Amino acid sequence: MIDPHTFYIILVMSGVVLLTRLAGPEIMRMIGINARMEKALSTMASAVIVAILANEVADGGWRDAIAIGVTAAALLILRNEMAAMLTAVAVAAAGSFLAL
């Protein structure tokens, strides 16, 4: 069973994502994008994922720490973000199966 607090946090985060997806293009049209802002926006998704995973690792999640390390190695070797994420999911699933 999912923790009610976790459910509400996910619900709020989903609402914020929806709001930014709907309003973001209009706001960016009014503001305009320079090279610095474009680079910041392109790295935003990775920063969010790292923040979420860092919280898990800080809580002592060895499976997550191993998955992050494997993901980093896969990304450096394969140069493909999707392949690296699939590798991380496979490692985390294997860790769950082996009860790490």
Side-chain angles (χ1 to χ4, degrees):
M1 180 79 185
I2 189 167
D3 178 37
H5 293 107
T6 303
F7 176 75
Y8 293 127
I9 290 170
I10 291 170
L11 189 64
V12 168
M13 289 173 61
S14 298
V16 170
V17 168
L18 179 63
L19 180 66
T20 57
R21 291 286 184 179
L22 294 174
E26 184 63 25
I27 293 170
M28 294 309 292
R29 187 181 62 78
M30 290 187 293
I31 294 173
I33 298 178
N34 58 25
R36 184 176 173 197
M37 189 179 294
E38 176 118 14
K39 182 157 177 87
L41 290 172
S42 69
T43 59
M44 189 67 67
S46 299
V48 170
I49 291 171
V50 168
I52 291 169
L53 293 176
N55 186 35
E56 290 295 321
V57 172
D59 288 340
W62 285 103
R63 179 185 66 212
D64 298 324
I66 292 168
I68 290 170
V70 170
T71 303
L75 187 57
L76 289 172
I77 294 167
L78 303 173
R79 303 274 187 216
N80 184 324
E81 292 176 3
M82 184 59 72
M85 288 191 301
L86 290 173
T87 303
V89 169
V91 169
S96 290
F97 181 74
L98 298 172
L100 289 178

